[in-house]
Amino acid sequence: MMGLMAGKETGTTASEANETTEITETAGAAVTVGAARGTASGGSPAAVTRAWATRLVVVGIVLSAFNLRPAITSLGALLEEVRDGLGMSGSVAGLLTSVPPLCFAVFGVMAPRLARRFGPAAVVCAGMAAVTAGLLIRPYAGSTAGFLAGSALALMGIAVSNVLMPVIVKRWFPDRVGSMTGLYSMALAAGTAVAAAVTVPLTDTLGGSWQTGLAVWGGLAAVAVLPWIPLARDRGTAPAPEAEAGARARAERQPPALRITRSRTAWALAVFFGLQATAAYITMGWMAQIFRDAGVSASTAGLLLAVTMVMGVPLAFVIPRVATRLPHQGPIVIALGVCGLAGYAGLYLAPAGGAWAWAVLLGISNCAFPLALTMVGMRARTGAGVAQLSAFAQSTGYLISIPGPLLVGVLYQHSGGWGLPIALMVGLMIPQMAVGVLAGRNRIVEDEAATTAA
């Protein structure tokens, strides 16, 4: 929610090549990475414990990532039924689709502070419990206000997990950031796609009630709580020992030292994150409705949304690995943006006729999200820097993304069609490409903040 990823010009990271021992804290416990692999015997209790904990972290990352988007895409698939059941207008429905980025911005900024106090694993555990409760409560709240409150609870849990996933990857897998980020992104994309594809048929199978169709995802989220429970329970209280030498350990213990707002790259990454999030939440919230208004059936519209989301499964694994090997990530930004522009043009000109092609193109464009996560890890040198940059880029970015889905709902209601909303999407893609190129430059936010301060 990531360690330093070097491009070709930087070779291996310092943690891979030079560190003999790196003390990290995940779930509040001190875990030795690097030298432990060479010094601990394979059969020692410490080595067995570390191997067991590492496997549990991998399972927790995958299950949590899988549950970070069904709260949103399951609603997108049943938005028309929810609107009818709760008596929502188009503008209120647009407000509903703006709730995710609002919650991500408000609650995501709290994640680093909570993680320092309780440990990242404990916070993610609590976050997934909040997701479970919110998804079970909201369908049966009985009013629009209650539905929004339940959604906000679930999204609060998603928000802190969004921010802390890159931090957990950085601390547990400092030498495998690219592959673990890809695995995390693939699981997130898979969960997004599955929820979009099966929510409508699952609702029909369970009796046709949209409440049941939405609540079932709460049960799946409950499973994601389980791997984090033993990790959270064993969190401990102390940071790295005071006697631990090295600037890296001191930096890890003093995250407030970095003034992230002084970095131009941090701002570029935040705006890029915000604009790609705007496009993603417009897609998740409204694309199925665009296809339904063009004459596509509800189940097919859900499948089309699923196709858009499932494109992220293979690409979310490939893009981070490619990005870490390039000196500049701008070409990837441009390629994804061009796919988005082509998809929007198709939605305007022939939404039903070329529906599958437009779904694929928009799915490729939405892979700006794993690219943004990867750049978070590449643009900071230390774990503390990654945590601050992740919180800043995501919280600021989600604030930027709040008006987009709401404006789409307002434009749709008052214009009576999708021409103006699609024009808005096109208009936002251009600056997304521009700031993405700036964020993709080979810069380190710690260096920029120090230079600016001097």
Side-chain angles (χ1 to χ4, degrees):
M1 159 187 107
M2 272 180 289
L4 178 63
M5 291 187 232
K8 288 181 177 177
E9 78 285 0
T10 57
T12 57
T13 64
S15 61
E16 290 173 301
N18 300 322
E19 291 186 353
T20 58
T21 300
E22 181 184 41
I23 302 298
T24 61
E25 299 158 291
T26 300
V31 180
T32 303
V33 181
R37 293 174 182 164
T39 60
S41 61
S44 69
V48 171
T49 300
R50 280 191 295 272
W52 173 84
T54 300
R55 294 188 188 100
L56 201 59
V57 170
V58 173
V59 172
I61 288 173
V62 171
L63 288 177
S64 297
F66 191 89
N67 283 279
L68 290 181
R69 293 299 180 268
I72 303 165
T73 51
S74 62
L75 175 59
L78 293 174
L79 185 58
E80 186 172 307
E81 287 76 10
V82 174
R83 287 175 58 189
D84 293 341
L86 297 178
M88 291 183 187
S89 66
S91 297
V92 174
L95 175 62
L96 184 61
T97 57
S98 292
V99 169
L102 174 62
C103 290
F104 293 167
V106 171
F107 298 115
V109 74
M110 301 163 52
R113 183 179 304 173
L114 292 172
R116 286 195 297 270
R117 181 170 181 179
F118 301 106
V123 177
V124 171
C125 182
M128 297 314 299
V131 173
T132 301
L135 292 182
L136 293 175
I137 291 170
R138 72 175 184 177
Y140 304 105
S143 66
T144 298
F147 191 93
L148 287 169
S151 297
L153 177 60
L155 293 166
M156 176 180 66
I158 295 173
V160 295
S161 300
N162 274 339
V163 172
L164 293 180
M165 281 295 160
V167 179
I168 289 174
V169 168
K170 158 70 178 176
R171 292 182 174 183
W172 281 90
F173 309 99
D175 55 347
R176 288 181 285 162
V177 171
S179 59
M180 288 304 300
T181 300
L183 179 64
Y184 154 68
S185 300
M186 285 176 62
L188 190 149
T192 306
V194 168
V198 309
T199 296
V200 171
L202 186 61
T203 300
D204 294 339
T205 301
L206 296 175
S209 169
W210 62 265
Q211 288 96 336
T212 305
L214 292 181
V216 71
W217 297 104
L220 183 62
V223 178
V225 178
L226 301 179
W228 300 107
I229 293 175
L231 295 167
R233 185 179 61 235
D234 195 32
R235 64 182 180 267
T237 58
E242 289 296 324
E244 183 66 24
R248 184 184 180 92
R250 290 194 297 272
E252 291 285 348
R253 294 196 302 270
Q254 299 174 357
L258 176 62
R259 297 190 179 183
I260 199 72
T261 56
R262 293 180 171 177
S263 167
R264 293 185 180 91
T265 296
W267 279 106
L269 188 52
V271 176
F272 176 68
F273 196 98
L275 292 176
Q276 68 81 27
T278 301
Y281 287 110
I282 289 174
T283 298
M284 286 187 280
W286 290 106
M287 195 180 83
Q289 191 63 49
I290 294 174
F291 286 128
R292 292 178 72 169
D293 286 352
V296 176
S297 68
S299 59
T300 302
L303 286 174
L304 287 165
L305 179 58
V307 167
T308 298
M309 299 299 110
V310 83
M311 291 302 301
V313 175
L315 293 178
F317 187 72
V318 172
I319 287 176
R321 298 172 70 88
V322 173
T324 59
R325 289 166 170 78
L326 293 178
H328 194 307
Q329 289 72 50
I332 304 178
V333 171
I334 297 298
L336 298 178
V338 169
C339 288
L341 293 174
Y344 293 144
L347 285 181
Y348 179 78
L349 297 172
W356 296 101
W358 318 142
V360 169
L361 286 169
L362 291 174
I364 296 172
S365 180
N366 279 350
C367 288
F369 175 71
L371 176 61
L373 289 181
T374 305
M375 288 196 289
V376 167
M378 297 181 71
R379 300 286 90 90
R381 178 174 292 111
T382 66
V386 171
Q388 290 183 259
L389 180 57
S390 180
F392 174 74
Q394 293 198 46
S395 296
T396 305
Y398 284 127
L399 279 174
I400 292 170
S401 71
I402 290 170
L406 177 60
L407 283 174
V408 167
V410 171
L411 291 173
Y412 172 57
Q413 180 175 346
H414 290 284
S415 68
W418 289 104
L420 287 178
I422 291 173
L424 172 65
M425 300 176 205
V426 171
L428 293 175
M429 184 59 69
I430 305 300
Q432 176 182 322
M433 296 164 68
V435 294
V437 170
L438 294 177
R441 296 177 301 170
N442 186 20
R443 302 287 190 275
I444 299 297
V445 294
E446 288 94 340
D447 295 341
E448 289 189 339
T451 300
T452 305

